[in-house]
């Protein structure tokens, strides 16, 4: 996927991608665990006060290392882009579950993942907005052939069949059909008992990525 000359997204080598992932992905995982623990803890006041002080000190130390001007994405030479900050699959985003999405031999995109306490809506259930967020991204992966085509969500329709429980889940999405600059994708989330949420999305090829019209058609 290439974004025009005005893009500020850096391009790195596969070796740099692997090196940076090894450095920063464990930090995101540690903060992810901290978020979960901060929701679940029943520690006493002294422990919580000490934890707050330590977290603030670590935060200041990390800020002193400089902040990236483009944290969200890195293009990798000869490979699909690597998402750093994406809220669903970002390798460096502690808010992301994160999802590891694969393309199976049947052309469908699938992911097995876990949503814990930070993603709760009704007690014991995933927030409906989080389900929609995950499906929006998963359908986008399918529509864009694994992020190799620049497509953006036009509309997404989500149908909630029942509550999605926190815990182990699976997502699946596929391209249903294409209509000119539109790609229609469908998918769902499920638990061990079956499908909980279905979705259909329309993804649009942006104007800058389309073939220019012949002179006589402008």
């Amino acid at each position: 996927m290439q974004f025009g000359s005005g893009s500020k997204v850096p391009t790195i080598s596969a070796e740099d991608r692997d090196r940076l992932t090894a450095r920063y992905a464990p930090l995101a995982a540690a903060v992810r665990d901290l978020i979960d623990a901060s929701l679940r803890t029943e520690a006493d006041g002294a422990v919580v006060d000490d934890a707050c002080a330590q977290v603030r000190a670590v935060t200041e130390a990390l800020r002193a290392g400089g902040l990236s001007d483009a944290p969200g994405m890195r293009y990798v030479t000869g490979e699909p882009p690597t998402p750093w900050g994406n809220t669903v699959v970002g390798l460096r985003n502690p808010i992301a579950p994160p999802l590891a999405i694969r393309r199976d031999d049947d052309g469908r995109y699938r992911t097995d993942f876990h949503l814990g306490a930070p993603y709760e809506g009704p007690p014991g259930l995933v927030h409906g907005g989080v389900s929609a967020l995950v499906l929006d991204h998963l359908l986008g992966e399918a529509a864009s052939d694994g992020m190799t085509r620049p497509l953006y969500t036009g509309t997404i329709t989500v149908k909630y069949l029942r509550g999605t429980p926190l815990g182990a889940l699976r997502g699946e999405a596929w391209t249903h059909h294409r209509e000119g600059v539109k790609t229609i994708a469908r998918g769902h989330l499920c638990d061990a008992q079956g499908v909980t949420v279905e979705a259909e999305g329309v993804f649009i090829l942006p104007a800058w990525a389309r073939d220019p019209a012949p002179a006589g058609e402008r």
Side-chain angles (χ1 to χ4, degrees):
M1 183 190 297
Q2 296 296 329
F3 276 65
S5 58
S7 172
K8 296 181 180 179
V9 178
T11 297
I12 60 177
S13 68
E15 291 76 13
D16 282 341
R17 185 267 319 278
D18 294 342
R19 176 178 57 82
L20 293 171
T21 296
R23 177 188 298 173
Y24 294 117
L27 174 62
V31 176
R32 197 173 292 120
D33 287 342
L34 175 63
I35 293 171
D36 185 81
S38 69
L39 282 170
R40 298 174 182 273
T41 187
E42 294 183 355
D44 62 30
V47 171
V48 172
D49 289 345
D50 183 57
C52 286
Q54 292 187 56
V55 169
R56 291 191 181 104
V58 169
T59 300
E60 288 306 308
L62 292 173
R63 288 188 189 281
L67 299 176
S68 172
D69 291 331
M73 183 77 74
R74 292 292 184 275
Y75 292 128
V76 180
T77 304
E79 297 186 19
T82 294
W84 274 173
N86 185 287
T87 193
V88 178
V89 297
L91 296 174
R92 293 183 59 179
N93 189 346
I95 297 173
L99 271 62
I101 300 172
R102 65 186 184 275
R103 184 184 187 277
D104 288 339
D105 292 340
D106 60 3
R108 295 194 174 200
Y109 287 76
R110 294 183 174 90
T111 180
D112 295 294
F113 60 104
H114 184 278
L115 293 180
Y119 305 99
E120 187 176 53
L125 300 176
V126 176
H127 193 292
V130 173
S131 297
L133 171 70
V134 169
L135 280 164
D136 183 18
H137 184 90
L138 185 56
L139 268 63
E141 286 257 2
S144 66
D145 296 327
M147 298 175 65
T148 61
R149 303 173 65 236
L151 298 178
Y152 297 102
T153 308
T155 62
I156 184 168
T157 303
V158 181
K159 182 178 181 181
Y160 299 91
L161 305 182
R162 59 184 173 89
T164 301
L166 295 172
L169 299 167
R170 169 168 287 190
E172 181 175 345
W174 59 93
T175 295
H176 185 254
H177 66 282
R178 290 189 170 94
E179 301 174 359
V181 300
K182 299 179 181 179
T183 299
I184 291 80
R186 292 179 177 175
H188 58 252
L189 301 182
C190 59
D191 64 1
Q193 281 67 54
V195 175
T196 62
V197 188
E198 297 175 338
E200 178 175 283
V202 179
F203 297 85
I204 310 298
L205 186 70
W208 56 259
R210 301 171 192 173
D211 293 332
E217 298 180 11
R218 294 175 184 171

